Amino acid sequence: MEDASEHGGPDGAQERAGLDAAREREDLDDALKREGLDDALKRAKGLKLMIFDVDGVMTDGTLYYSERGEELKAFNIQDGHGIKMLKQYGVEVALITARRSRAVELRAANLGIAHLYQGAEDKRGAYTALLEQLGLASEQSGYMGDDLLDLPLITRCGFAATVAAAPEAVRKRAHYVARAGGGHGAVREVCEFILRAQEMLERAIGAHLQ
C-alpha cells in the first residue's frame, strides 16, 4: 500500500499541518522567552480571573459625545471574542472603570460579563470585594489598565498587563505590554497570551477548524 503522506494525500496534509503548527508554537514560545516573558507566562498560567479597565484598554481612550450629551464608545469585535474565549476556557472576566457609561453596561451585557464596577475612582475597594465574592487570592487575578489610576491594582494582582501608550510608571510595573493599541486588539492579544500560558489557545483555535 502506498504511503499517502508521500503523495500529498489528506493524511499527509494533516501530518504536515500538525508539524507546521508545532514548529510555529515552538518558535513563538522561544520568542516569548527571548523577550523575557517567561515570568509573565508563569503568572498568567494560574489566573482564574482577568479584570479589564475600559477607557484606553477596551477603547482607544477617545471620548465621543452625542448632541444630547450622551457618552459614546467604540469597541473592538476581536477583543470581544477574546473575552468570550477566556470565559469559555475557565477564566472569569470583570470590568472595573472609574467612569460611568451606558455603553459600557451594554457592552458588558453583550459579552456576558456579570462583574461590572463603574464609577470606581478608587479601584481597590471594587477589587477587594470582587476577590472576596469569588473566593480568590490576589495571585489568581490579573488586571489590565493604562494609566496611573490603575497602579493600585497593577501592583496587587498576580498578572498585570498594559498598553504601549501607557505612562512609563505603568509600563515598568506591568508584566506584559501589549503591542496592539487600546481598542485595537490589545485586549485580544492579552486574552490569547493568557490562553497560551494555560495551554488552551490551540484548543480554542481548533474549535473553529472542525
Side-chain angles (χ1 to χ4, degrees):
M1 180 180 293
E2 294 182 341
D3 186 351
S5 65
E6 292 179 358
H7 297 277
D11 292 341
Q14 290 177 2
E15 182 179 350
R16 287 194 299 274
L19 289 172
D20 289 343
R23 292 191 190 100
E24 184 177 342
R25 287 195 299 272
E26 290 175 359
D27 289 344
L28 184 51
D29 289 342
D30 289 342
L32 291 173
K33 290 177 181 177
R34 286 197 301 272
E35 292 176 17
L37 293 174
D38 46 341
D39 178 61
L41 285 167
K42 290 177 183 177
R43 289 173 173 273
K45 186 174 183 178
L47 292 187
K48 299 295 184 183
L49 167 68
M50 187 63 196
I51 307 165
F52 295 96
D53 181 28
V54 176
D55 296 301
V57 173
M58 292 183 69
T59 77
D60 65 5
T62 303
L63 296 178
Y64 302 90
Y65 290 94
S66 70
E67 292 182 355
R68 297 180 178 180
E70 299 169 321
E71 188 173 297
L72 309 176
K73 297 181 188 292
F75 297 102
N76 185 285
I77 290 177
Q78 291 188 348
D79 285 351
H81 188 65
I83 287 174
K84 287 183 177 181
M85 287 194 296
L86 273 189
K87 289 171 58 63
Q88 181 180 356
Y89 290 96
V91 179
E92 189 56 84
V93 175
L95 304 181
I96 298 180
T97 173
R99 302 180 64 85
R100 290 187 179 275
S101 170
R102 174 63 174 160
V104 174
E105 183 180 337
L106 293 173
R107 184 57 171 162
N110 176 255
L111 296 177
I113 299 174
H115 308 289
L116 171 61
Y117 297 82
Q118 297 203 76
E121 294 186 7
D122 182 352
K123 299 185 178 185
R124 288 171 292 188
Y127 175 68
T128 300
L130 181 58
L131 291 185
E132 290 179 355
Q133 178 184 348
L134 298 178
L136 298 176
S138 58
E139 58 266 23
Q140 295 176 295
S141 70
Y143 181 75
M144 185 174 187
D146 73 309
D147 213 338
L148 301 181
L149 286 174
D150 300 303
L151 285 176
L153 301 198
I154 283 175
T155 56
R156 282 171 168 76
C157 66
F159 169 75
T162 190
V163 294
E168 181 183 0
V170 175
R171 295 197 310 272
K172 73 179 184 180
R173 289 171 172 82
H175 305 113
Y176 185 86
V177 179
R179 298 176 179 84
H184 296 282
V187 168
R188 176 61 171 269
E189 183 180 330
V190 168
C191 289
E192 291 197 0
F193 183 84
I194 295 168
L195 290 171
R196 174 173 294 279
Q198 300 190 359
E199 300 180 352
M200 289 294 180
L201 182 58
E202 290 303 318
R203 184 182 297 183
I205 294 171
H208 296 279
L209 297 176
Q210 297 176 359

